[in-house]
Amino acid sequence: MSTSSINQAGTDTENLSAPCCAPSATQNALNPEEAELLASRFKALSDPSRLRILSIVASNKNAETCVCDLPEPLGLKQPTVSHHLKILVDAGLLHREKRGVWAYYSIVPRALESLQSTLVFTP
Amino acid sequence: MSTSSINQAGTDTENLSAPCCAPSATQNALNPEEAELLASRFKALSDPSRLRILSIVASNKNAETCVCDLPEPLGLKQPTVSHHLKILVDAGLLHREKRGVWAYYSIVPRALESLQSTLVFTP
DNA sequence: GACAGATATCGACGTTTGTCAATCTCTGGT
DNA sequence: ACCAGAGATTGACAAACGTCGATATCTGTC
């Protein structure tokens, strides 16, 4: 109810007179706006390099990761890493803090959990 | 350990002598192969139309959804819907069953839950 | 205030993606 | 055997994406 979620078990399965199936409850489904928003968040996770960035940053428990440490393990050039970091920040998954010349990125608490909950089935 | 997961809280945060930060535990991070696999699954969820398809199919509790019911609510042509359905089946999210001339799609049990678990933080 | 270094932005390029019209394949009925 | 209709496949095309070299911006130091 609160946040949009893929699944909210419908209530119509009785009609068997239609040629192929009951017309299905489309009003319970995600509307285009909700779908667009959700998709944009999953899109941030749909690239291998970004997932690896997240896993590196997340493995630095309670700390941040300096941008300068990322290009080498990822095998990417600095502008590309910067590009991916921006996408992750825009998706609300990473937090950016600049201190001096260095930029530190950290996981936004509960951001992944929140995204996770949009995949929840009603058990 | 079992399935690859974004997060597995590292164990090094003591070194503060480096110019910007500790070199970060890259060996705990997702390797390229794991990242590629995970990304391909999230890619299936990164399109609004596919999310709406999933939500429509999922809202038909215990039943299946006929392909013929999808183009209209989605505002897409039949080949496009077929294309998205194939991607969702290939990602292991939907099950396809052909009966007569009609094709019925249903949610693969625990598929979304399994994907969900790859986003889990160690609490 | 000029300089060096870290990171962000820009522009370009090849690849991938979403969409559709046209076509193919298969199934059930006549 | 033929036909009609459902759905998958193909080919084309524009838009979006990932990557990088070049450049711009900002910060601390001399």
Side-chain angles (χ1 to χ4, degrees):
Chain A
M1 312 289 177
S2 50
T3 342
S4 54
S5 143
I6 297 284
N7 191 317
Q8 48 234 118
T11 53
D12 54 336
T13 1
E14 52 270 27
N15 183 2
L16 296 177
S17 59
C20 58
C21 55
S24 95
T26 44
Q27 71 278 12
N28 286 345
L30 258 55
N31 65 42
E33 293 76 21
E34 291 171 329
E36 194 80 45
L37 180 68
L38 244 187
S40 72
R41 301 174 71 194
F42 284 119
K43 198 167 297 182
L45 297 175
S46 71
D47 179 83
S49 299
R50 287 197 288 273
L51 289 177
R52 297 183 71 205
I53 290 176
L54 280 180
S55 78
I56 291 175
V57 174
S59 68
N60 275 18
K61 188 174 173 66
N62 88 13
E64 321 112 319
T65 300
C66 179
V67 176
C68 62
D69 283 334
L70 290 174
E72 190 220 318
L74 294 171
L76 295 174
K77 300 296 179 185
Q78 177 265 322
T80 306
V81 171
S82 225
H83 168 71
H84 286 311
L85 287 169
K86 180 168 167 36
I87 291 176
L88 290 170
V89 169
D90 289 349
L93 297 172
L94 285 187
H95 170 75
R96 174 182 187 269
E97 182 178 350
K98 188 101 180 262
R99 286 204 302 275
V101 279
W102 290 290
Y104 298 91
Y105 286 83
S106 53
I107 298 278
V108 169
R110 285 176 303 285
L112 287 173
E113 287 88 336
S114 141
L115 190 51
Q116 189 188 19
S117 73
T118 64
L119 284 177
V120 164
F121 271 81
T122 60
Chain B
M1 311 290 181
S2 51
T3 342
S4 55
S5 140
I6 297 283
N7 191 317
Q8 50 234 119
T11 54
D12 53 336
T13 0
E14 51 271 26
N15 182 4
L16 295 177
S17 59
C20 59
C21 55
S24 94
T26 43
Q27 71 279 12
N28 286 344
L30 257 54
N31 66 41
E33 294 76 20
E34 291 172 328
E36 194 79 45
L37 180 69
L38 244 187
S40 72
R41 302 175 69 195
F42 283 120
K43 199 167 296 184
L45 296 175
S46 71
D47 179 84
S49 299
R50 286 198 287 274
L51 289 177
R52 297 182 73 204
I53 289 176
L54 281 180
S55 79
I56 291 176
V57 174
S59 69
N60 275 18
K61 188 176 175 62
N62 89 12
E64 318 112 322
T65 301
C66 180
V67 177
C68 63
D69 282 334
L70 290 174
E72 190 219 319
L74 295 170
L76 295 174
K77 299 297 178 183
Q78 176 265 322
T80 306
V81 171
S82 226
H83 168 72
H84 286 311
L85 287 169
K86 180 167 168 36
I87 290 176
L88 290 170
V89 168
D90 290 349
L93 297 173
L94 284 187
H95 170 75
R96 175 183 187 267
E97 182 179 349
K98 186 101 181 262
R99 286 203 304 273
V101 279
W102 289 291
Y104 297 91
Y105 286 83
S106 53
I107 299 278
V108 169
R110 286 175 302 285
L112 287 173
E113 286 88 337
S114 141
L115 190 51
Q116 190 187 20
S117 72
T118 65
L119 284 177
V120 163
F121 271 81
T122 60

